Amino acid sequence: MKNWRSYQYKTSQENKNSIIAKDEVALLAERLEFFIPKLMDVMRPWQWLTYLFFWSLFVTVIDRHDLESWSEFMIGFTLRMVQNTLSVMPALFIVDYLRPVLRRMSTIRASIYVLAILMMTSTVSMILVLLVTINIGWVGYDLRGFILEVVFELMVTAGFTLVFLLYFLGRYREMHALQQSFEHKLKAQNDMIKTRIAPHFLFNTINTLVSLIETNPARASQLLQHASVLFRASFNSAREISFEEEIALCKHYLAIEYSRLSNKLDVRWQLPDEDVMYDMVITALTLQSILERMVLSVVEMTVETIHINITAIWHHHRVIITIHIQLPKKTLMVNHDLRQHMNFYIQAERLRTYFGQSAEIKSKVTNTQIVTVIDYPLQDVSL
């Protein structure tokens, strides 16, 4: 049996490493926690060593006036390489370790702390390297020269650190602007879906309620409860919800349509086990809006009973939802018009925004059926 982890567990603040939907917004949110990225994740160890190699070479060339031969140059370069490695690598681990504390500070204060950490590790490593070289006998002891070497190293470290801090701050501001553009795009997409949902449900639900209030008050009360839940969800700011919630919204919507369409609508579900479905997630109102389009385009256009089969599976880190609708045999349905109505561009864009570019919604219309497939990646941490 799989050791399932709940949707709430995987999205909790304490478990941010177990991200369900690795989409652009989630990655941006992770990067925007603090203007300095996780430095050990920015470059691999060999990339850091390459950077330290050229940094050491640059500093050695600047300080070459004290070096009289190639052997002294190579010794100086080697010492710089060791010293810079002992300065930078511990500092990176310290900064990453203190990230929860630093991200609560202002940008200026956090920058000062980072600068102080780099200068502290640089001073300690420079003193250690100088003491070792003096004890070995590679250089003679001179207090004035010793102090100048340490001060020079501090100035170089401070300069490099400030350059990188300015670079990270610039990237941080760019990502803020990118996040705002994402927010505007998502808001526009959600607003478009809401404007399509609201008028249809408002008028049809009111008409159905009017006809039921006198004839069947109990059923009218149930219908009003379904409508309340669905309207509340359509105007909610939630973007990513559990699959169970989306299925519940679909069933509220279908309950309303059952009251209006009587025996013209037959929907059958084939869903994963509750334990599996509890861990699944989807963008809000995706499946519901697709079902609504099918009801409007097919069920309302005929007097025959329309059968809709909905199957959902979660396999190899992908969710595949198949909606199969059998077209009526006696009622003429124009395929060209149906293909236009079965264009789910907005829903597909919302899926890609949250789940990556491999997410898609495809719909195939034939003379006898419509098959719509919702396919998007969803990481299963239990595998």
Side-chain angles (χ1 to χ4, degrees), residues 89-109:
M89 302 308 288
L92 297 183
F93 283 106
I94 293 173
V95 171
D96 283 344
Y97 179 76
L98 295 177
R99 172 177 296 274
V101 178
L102 294 173
R103 70 187 180 194
R104 292 197 293 266
M105 300 180 183
S106 63
T107 301
I108 296 177
R109 189 178 178 187

Side-chain angles (χ1 to χ4, degrees), residues 236-269:
N236 196 343
S237 60
R239 306 161 184 160
E240 183 184 273
I241 63 174
S242 69
F243 194 73
E244 285 182 323
E245 293 178 86
E246 180 70 4
I247 297 300
L249 291 176
C250 291
K251 291 182 177 179
H252 283 298
Y253 162 72
L254 292 172
I256 296 173
E257 297 295 26
Y258 282 138
S259 298
R260 189 169 63 90
L261 300 171
S262 185
N263 60 350
K264 289 171 56 178
L265 181 59
D266 176 41
V267 179
R268 299 177 183 179
W269 299 85

Side-chain angles (χ1 to χ4, degrees), residues 326-343:
Q326 197 72 29
L327 294 179
K329 297 178 180 179
K330 300 178 182 179
T331 305
L332 176 64
M333 308 294 291
V334 182
N335 287 351
H336 175 71
D337 293 339
L338 281 179
R339 288 189 183 95
Q340 288 184 333
H341 290 304
M342 294 301 112
N343 180 9

Side-chain angles (χ1 to χ4, degrees), residues 346-363:
I346 297 176
Q347 290 86 344
E349 279 296 303
R350 292 174 77 233
L351 273 179
R352 293 189 190 101
T353 303
Y354 289 100
F355 297 97
Q357 292 302 310
S358 66
E360 60 182 0
I361 300 177
K362 291 184 178 180
S363 194

Side-chain angles (χ1 to χ4, degrees), residues 93-152:
F93 283 106
I94 293 173
V95 171
D96 283 344
Y97 179 76
L98 295 177
R99 172 177 296 274
V101 178
L102 294 173
R103 70 187 180 194
R104 292 197 293 266
M105 300 180 183
S106 63
T107 301
I108 296 177
R109 189 178 178 187
S111 301
I112 293 174
Y113 271 83
V114 173
L115 181 62
I117 291 170
L118 264 295
M119 294 181 71
M120 178 189 68
T121 56
S122 178
T123 302
V124 173
S125 62
M126 189 65 185
I127 291 174
L128 289 175
V129 169
L130 287 176
L131 290 177
V132 170
T133 55
I134 291 172
N135 288 330
I136 293 175
W138 286 356
V139 295
Y141 175 72
D142 177 19
L143 180 60
R144 182 172 179 274
F146 188 95
I147 295 175
L148 288 176
E149 283 285 345
V150 174
V151 172
F152 175 75

Side-chain angles (χ1 to χ4, degrees), residues 220 237 275 277 282:
S237 60
D275 290 340
M277 196 162 60
I282 191 172

Side-chain angles (χ1 to χ4, degrees), residues 23-187:
D23 50 75
E24 287 89 342
V25 175
L27 292 174
L28 276 174
E30 183 179 341
R31 291 292 300 274
L32 287 169
E33 287 181 347
F34 185 43
F35 77 99
I36 299 177
K38 292 183 178 179
L39 298 174
M40 295 309 296
D41 293 340
V42 173
M43 293 191 292
R44 296 179 179 178
W46 68 268
Q47 292 174 314
W48 279 111
L49 291 175
T50 304
Y51 159 73
L52 292 173
F53 174 86
F54 286 104
W55 181 9
S56 303
L57 184 62
F58 172 75
V59 176
T60 306
V61 170
I62 291 177
D63 200 29
R64 68 183 184 278
H65 57 84
D66 289 336
L67 307 175
E68 298 178 356
S69 63
W70 275 105
S71 60
E72 291 184 355
F73 181 87
M74 291 305 298
I75 292 173
F77 169 73
T78 303
L79 294 176
R80 287 286 180 187
M81 185 70 182
V82 173
Q83 187 268 324
N84 288 333
T85 303
L86 294 176
S87 300
V88 174
M89 302 308 288
L92 297 183
F93 283 106
I94 293 173
V95 171
D96 283 344
Y97 179 76
L98 295 177
R99 172 177 296 274
V101 178
L102 294 173
R103 70 187 180 194
R104 292 197 293 266
M105 300 180 183
S106 63
T107 301
I108 296 177
R109 189 178 178 187
S111 301
I112 293 174
Y113 271 83
V114 173
L115 181 62
I117 291 170
L118 264 295
M119 294 181 71
M120 178 189 68
T121 56
S122 178
T123 302
V124 173
S125 62
M126 189 65 185
I127 291 174
L128 289 175
V129 169
L130 287 176
L131 290 177
V132 170
T133 55
I134 291 172
N135 288 330
I136 293 175
W138 286 356
V139 295
Y141 175 72
D142 177 19
L143 180 60
R144 182 172 179 274
F146 188 95
I147 295 175
L148 288 176
E149 283 285 345
V150 174
V151 172
F152 175 75
E153 183 62 29
L154 284 176
M155 293 176 60
V156 172
T157 301
F160 273 93
T161 304
L162 288 174
V163 169
F164 274 94
L165 287 174
L166 291 174
Y167 169 77
F168 290 143
L169 186 59
R171 292 287 297 166
Y172 183 71
R173 290 174 177 172
E174 290 177 4
M175 284 189 291
H176 257 300
L178 183 60
Q179 183 198 35
Q180 291 178 355
S181 69
F182 268 117
E183 295 293 337
H184 288 306
K185 178 181 177 181
L186 295 174
K187 185 177 183 300

